[in-house]
Amino acid sequence: MTNGTIGTAALGDQGPEVGVQGLGCMGMSFAYGPVDADASRATLERALELGVTLYDTADAYGAGDNERFLSPFFKAHRDEVVIATKFALAIPPDEPTRRIIRNDPPYIRQAVEASLKRLDVDVIDLYYMHRRDVNVPIEETVGVMAELVREGKVKQLGLSEVTAAELRAAHAVHPIAAVQSEWSLFSRDIEAKVVPAARELGVTLVPYSPLGRGFLTGSFVDAEQDLTADDFRRQHPRFTGDNAAANASLLEPIRAIAEAHGATLGQIALAWVQQRATVHGLPVVPIPGTRKPTRVEENTAATRITLTEEQLAQLEPIAAKVAGTRYADMTFTSAGRE
């Protein structure tokens, strides 16, 4: 690491080295209230300067708008970036706010061609199954994804929110480079089964929402009171009403440790996630999302913070005390099927 740039980690057994922290790009087009395109473009450039090379998007983010927004940046830096996008959340033409999970082969082929076109690239570096349709055998879904690799449309395969058993079944069909799941001081369900399976198989963990969708930074307390009407965090049980008030009190040990390090709450939360690599013995590349260059500077600086054993012990009880589930409907998560 030089000049403030971050270190690297392997993306699967057969993949490239990527920055040890990636960038979640969803909020640049979708879900977190008003957007600022110029600030987002500046954020992308600053992230690259700091060594961030894994950029995460999906076809469902803004109904393709996020992929289109990122395309010029990817084109300008194609040899420097690793593009990750996803399929599976189909949008019915007559219901633009609804999502239907589809893992069937015809849809996958339709989705990859649409993403390639929106991104304006010849190949997608990492292609994820965004969510699991339990009515389609995962071997069938990954079989089609493997065909995309052989056809040169995709380089590596990823899965999101899968169980350990689903990961093993998928990996038996084609090597899986990365599993993306929620992992933070507030969300640790994957540690029981998914993380050990990923370690055994040589799969990199890509934690999304490592900052608890911003709650762990202290930037808001109650989503209904503090966030705009179009912010989807208002739909999450943890961030409203009595749950939000209870969960806000859980930030106190994070705040104390942040003061000891001269850091922010968010940096301590991210440092904890980054340190999971050492604790669990596998590559971990979190993808915090932001739309501000100053925030990506803050986030990447967290990779240089090491928490002591005493501090890790102070943070250990937090997850078990969190009020409310991470989604209103948990059936679409790995925890809902384990």
Side-chain angles (χ1 to χ4, degrees), residues 110-264:
Q110 172 189 329
V112 74
E113 294 298 340
S115 284
L116 286 167
K117 184 176 181 180
R118 285 189 294 264
L119 292 165
D120 195 18
V121 295
D122 296 325
V123 60
I124 294 166
D125 300 312
L126 176 60
Y127 200 42
Y128 285 102
M129 180 190 76
H130 203 161
R131 289 293 186 271
R132 168 98 167 94
D133 178 358
V134 296
N135 297 310
V136 179
I138 198 164
E139 294 86 352
E140 182 177 338
T141 298
V142 177
V144 176
M145 295 171 72
E147 291 175 5
L148 301 180
V149 175
R150 290 191 288 271
E151 293 165 11
K153 296 176 181 178
V154 170
K155 289 184 180 179
Q156 290 187 291
L157 304 184
L159 305 171
S160 180
E161 288 288 358
V162 292
T163 67
E166 290 164 350
L167 173 58
R168 293 181 192 281
H171 196 78
V173 175
H174 187 280
I176 301 300
V179 165
Q180 184 174 135
S181 286
E182 188 166 355
W183 200 5
S184 73
L185 281 167
F186 270 22
S187 301
R188 299 181 57 179
D189 47 75
I190 64 169
E191 292 177 19
K193 295 182 180 180
V194 176
V195 170
R199 180 178 62 240
E200 174 190 330
L201 298 171
V203 177
T204 298
L205 246 296
V206 179
Y208 73 82
S209 298
L211 293 171
R213 303 188 187 279
F215 194 87
L216 289 166
T217 70
S219 62
F220 72 98
V221 176
D222 188 309
E224 289 182 333
Q225 297 181 22
D226 301 338
L227 304 177
T228 57
D230 57 347
D231 195 307
F232 89 140
R233 287 172 289 185
R234 292 163 65 102
Q235 304 169 21
H236 289 247
R238 289 181 172 174
F239 306 142
T240 59
D242 292 342
N243 285 348
N247 292 335
S249 68
L250 300 177
L251 302 185
E252 290 311 309
I254 308 173
R255 188 170 284 111
I257 294 170
E259 290 176 1
H261 281 272
T264 65

Side-chain angles (χ1 to χ4, degrees), residues 251-336:
L251 302 185
E252 290 311 309
I254 308 173
R255 188 170 284 111
I257 294 170
E259 290 176 1
H261 281 272
T264 65
L265 273 73
Q267 286 177 321
I268 298 305
L270 275 175
W272 181 90
V273 176
Q274 300 279 177
Q275 219 159 319
R276 298 300 91 191
T278 301
V279 172
H280 291 280
L282 79 170
V284 176
V285 183
I287 49 169
T290 185
R291 300 173 288 192
K292 298 178 180 178
T294 53
R295 192 69 73 187
V296 83
E297 291 167 1
E298 176 185 328
N299 290 347
T300 54
T303 66
R304 295 183 286 278
I305 296 174
T306 301
L307 303 175
T308 67
E309 289 299 320
E310 180 182 358
Q311 290 168 340
L312 291 173
Q314 290 173 326
L315 298 173
E316 185 65 25
I318 291 176
K321 299 177 181 178
V322 174
T325 54
R326 51 193 179 96
Y327 290 99
D329 183 353
M330 287 289 287
T331 60
F332 303 113
T333 69
S334 59

